[in-house]
């Protein structure tokens, strides 16, 4: 009888089991995105410490304030000079236009802005009128003959003439004003002005009734 060998342990009959392969990762429809990069750290500049002396800093600030003040004063001075120039142009516009004719367009443009007009000069001190002579023409009609003088060096606007009749006590009993168009000859245009260093004969006709005059006064003026 064949003798059977003793039973071996269970592990002796089992071969070493081979390692099973790992399952492959499942593919999905989404693509994997790489992680977003982190922002680089911002470098904060470190201000250097102010190690300048206090009096140096004060001097620098005072110099800056003084420079600003000089700029403001320069601008203010320029504005003031411009304002004075405009005032002079508008105040003496007539004299400037007569003395410097090339300036007349500039003065006219300036007056268009500031609401003035360029006209002939009206310098009453440059004018003079002779005493003249008063005579009776006929009845109540009288004639006053005199002469008007422009003693200045500029063409002047024609003035108005005032004739005042007086009584025996030298009191005014009648006053009459003659405009340039009333006493100038027809061939003299008032708009052209009274030429410099010239003379203009004047003849004034008027009627006088119910008033008796012993004397008269005559003068020129600008209304």
């Amino acid at each position: 009888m064949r003798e059977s060998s003793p039973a071996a342990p269970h592990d002796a009959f089992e071969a070493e089991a081979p390692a099973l392969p790992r399952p492959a990762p499942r593919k999905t429809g989404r693509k994997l995105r790489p992680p977003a990069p982190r922002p680089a750290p911002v470098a904060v500049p470190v201000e250097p410490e102010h190690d300048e002396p206090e009096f140096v800093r004060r001097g620098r600030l005072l110099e800056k304030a003084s420079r600003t003040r000089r700029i403001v004063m320069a601008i203010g001075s320029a504005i003031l000079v411009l304002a004075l120039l405009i005032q002079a142009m508008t105040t003496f516009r007539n004299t400037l236009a007569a003395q410097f004719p090339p300036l007349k367009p500039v003065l006219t443009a300036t007056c268009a802005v500031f609401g003035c007009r360029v006209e002939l000069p009206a310098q009453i001190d440059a004018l003079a009128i002779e005493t003249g002579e008063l005579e009776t023409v006929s009845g109540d009609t009288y004639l006053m003959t005199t002469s008007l003088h422009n003693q200045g060096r500029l063409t002047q606007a024609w003035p108005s003439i005032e004739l005042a009749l007086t009584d025996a006590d030298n009191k005014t009993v009648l006053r009459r004003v003659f405009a340039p168009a009333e006493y100038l000859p027809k061939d003299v245009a008032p708009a052209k002005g009274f030429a410099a260093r010239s003379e203009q004969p004047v003849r004034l006709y008027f009627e006088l009734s119910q008033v008796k005059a012993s004397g008269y006064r005559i003068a020129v003026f600008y209304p």
Side-chain angles (χ1 to χ4, degrees):
M1 187 170 183
R2 192 173 185 180
E3 191 176 0
S4 59
S5 53
H10 184 269
D11 291 342
F13 292 96
E14 291 182 358
E16 186 177 355
L20 297 177
R22 294 182 179 180
R26 183 181 296 177
K27 295 182 178 181
T28 62
R30 294 186 304 172
K31 294 182 178 180
L32 298 178
R33 296 182 180 179
R38 294 182 179 180
V42 179
V44 179
V46 179
E47 296 183 359
E49 295 183 358
H50 295 285
D51 54 355
E52 60 182 3
E54 181 65 20
F55 72 91
V56 174
R57 187 177 67 86
R58 287 185 179 180
R60 179 163 46 81
L61 293 177
L62 289 176
E63 182 180 358
K64 183 178 180 180
S66 177
R67 184 166 57 250
T68 303
R69 187 162 52 249
R70 286 196 300 268
I71 294 174
V72 173
M73 291 180 63
I75 295 175
S77 299
I79 295 175
L80 181 61
V81 170
L82 181 60
L84 291 176
L85 179 61
I86 293 175
Q87 183 179 5
M89 291 176 65
T90 54
T91 303
F92 304 103
R93 61 189 182 278
N94 298 333
T95 303
L96 291 173
Q99 192 168 1
F100 306 102
L103 288 179
K104 189 172 182 179
V106 178
L107 296 171
T108 302
T110 304
C111 279
V113 176
F114 293 96
C116 56
R117 295 177 58 186
V118 178
E119 300 174 336
L120 291 171
Q123 299 172 336
I124 195 64
D125 294 338
L127 304 182
I129 191 168
E130 295 181 0
T131 304
E133 183 179 356
L134 181 63
E135 59 182 294
T136 303
V137 177
S138 62
D140 297 335
T141 303
Y142 293 83
L143 170 62
M144 178 73 190
T145 58
T146 183
S147 185
L148 187 61
H149 299 268
N150 180 4
Q151 302 171 343
R153 55 188 180 86
L154 298 177
T155 299
Q156 303 289 331
W158 289 102
S160 295
I161 298 178
E162 179 188 70
L163 176 62
L165 300 179
T166 59
D167 58 12
D169 296 329
N170 201 27
K171 293 181 179 180
T172 302
V173 295
L174 183 66
R175 178 177 176 269
R176 174 77 185 274
V177 174
F178 298 87
E182 295 179 286
Y183 67 79
L184 288 176
K186 295 182 179 179
D187 58 345
V188 177
K192 292 183 178 180
F194 193 3
R197 310 292 185 187
S198 65
E199 177 183 350
Q200 177 61 51
V202 176
R203 296 172 65 87
L204 304 175
Y205 289 91
F206 61 95
E207 292 184 357
L208 184 62
S209 60
Q210 299 179 352
V211 175
K212 292 184 178 181
S214 301
Y216 64 90
R217 293 190 300 270
I218 192 167
V220 292
F221 70 99
Y222 286 109

